[in-house]
Amino acid sequence: MRLLALTFLLLLGAIPCGAQEMTTTVVPVVGSVVGTGQVRWKTDVEIINDSPLAIDVALELASAPAAPVIFLTLGPGQIQRFTDIVGQAFGADAILSPLRITSSGRRPVMVRANAYAIRGSEVLPFQPISVFASGSGYPVRILDGLGFTDETRTNIGLLNLGDRPADVLLALQRLPGRNLAITRLRVDPGTLLHLAIQQLFPLITEGHGFAVVVETFSPETFVYASVIENANNAGTFVAPRVGAR
């Protein structure tokens, strides 16, 4: 699909033949899904062209069925806002997927994303989602401040945008270097796994102050966590920090 996006940008004339300059940004997870407590989770996204030139942009739900793509052109300084990007931009529902943004030019467009839950007519607190540059993966990444108690729950996301399966090792720790449990997974190409931490480490029944060390040698992988308060569904997105072997 990244090749398809490039092909369309070439057809649009945004990239001169032979130059093929483009950049890719990844929002690791967007969605329109029903979660715990029958709240509906949605994601708002802003695409901002802060350059002095018009740019063409391809937006792709990279792990959704058929990986749908939409295209738009942004003039200098123009902002495109999507409220519930899965529903508004793609006309879809019940989807959880990374959003891959491919744009013409030497530097990426600016992207902002927020996830939030809706309960009846009440919109619950926004959860800003970190945005990653393509190819920014490291062999070892660490997710801090995780827990699963009566008050909070944690989901962990593992995303593989490469063209080969990614073998991933996850280690649960409270103290650096001391593993409480280890899980190994294979993530297929173009796949997002969004799992409760208890599914990854079923022998650990509860606790807080955990870290998960994620190790893989597949470069086009992304990891994240989301810690959610059970009482009000307020969430905190946890971006990884770089670790050492």
Side-chain angles (χ1 to χ4, degrees), residues 178-200:
R178 295 190 179 182
N179 296 335
L180 300 174
I182 292 176
T183 295
R184 290 178 173 85
L185 292 175
R186 172 162 286 189
V187 185
D188 290 332
T191 297
L192 170 65
L193 300 181
H194 185 86
L195 304 170
I197 195 170
Q198 297 97 316
Q199 291 178 262
L200 294 169

Side-chain angles (χ1 to χ4, degrees), residues 35-245:
T36 302
Q38 294 301 301
V39 298
R40 176 168 288 278
W41 287 91
K42 296 186 177 183
T43 313
D44 292 354
V45 173
E46 287 187 349
I47 312 293
I48 304 159
N49 178 13
D50 60 348
S51 76
L53 302 173
I55 58 172
D56 290 296
V57 182
L59 307 177
E60 175 195 358
L61 291 180
S63 69
V69 184
I70 63 172
F71 303 91
L72 60 141
T73 300
L74 297 179
Q78 185 177 353
I79 300 174
Q80 176 67 58
R81 295 183 176 90
F82 295 101
T83 301
D84 178 21
I85 189 165
V86 170
Q88 181 187 352
F90 292 92
D93 191 20
I95 285 177
L96 201 64
S97 170
L99 178 70
R100 180 159 46 195
I101 303 109
T102 304
S103 57
S104 59
R106 295 182 178 180
R107 61 189 181 97
V109 291
M110 185 182 298
V111 179
R112 299 191 184 110
N114 289 285
Y116 56 97
I118 298 175
R119 183 171 52 207
S121 59
E122 181 185 10
V123 178
L124 301 172
F126 277 41
Q127 178 184 177
I129 300 175
S130 298
V131 179
F132 302 111
S134 180
S136 61
Y138 296 89
V140 180
R141 286 158 284 184
I142 301 172
L143 300 164
D144 294 303
L146 312 184
F148 41 106
T149 66
D150 291 339
E151 291 75 33
T152 62
R153 62 187 188 272
T154 295
N155 295 316
I156 292 178
L158 302 168
L159 169 61
N160 178 14
L161 289 181
D163 56 6
R164 296 181 180 180
D167 292 313
V168 182
L169 183 146
L170 301 98
L172 184 72
Q173 299 181 352
R174 260 209 179 104
L175 296 175
R178 295 190 179 182
N179 296 335
L180 300 174
I182 292 176
T183 295
R184 290 178 173 85
L185 292 175
R186 172 162 286 189
V187 185
D188 290 332
T191 297
L192 170 65
L193 300 181
H194 185 86
L195 304 170
I197 195 170
Q198 297 97 316
Q199 291 178 262
L200 294 169
F201 306 104
L203 297 182
I204 307 297
T205 56
E206 66 175 352
H208 57 84
F210 290 108
V212 171
V213 180
V214 182
E215 183 172 351
T216 179
F217 290 100
S218 300
E220 284 296 316
T221 54
F222 303 85
V223 300
Y224 64 87
S226 180
V227 180
I228 303 169
E229 298 178 24
N230 293 324
N232 60 7
N233 286 286
T236 300
F237 184 89
V238 179
R241 62 181 174 88
V242 178
R245 288 180 60 83

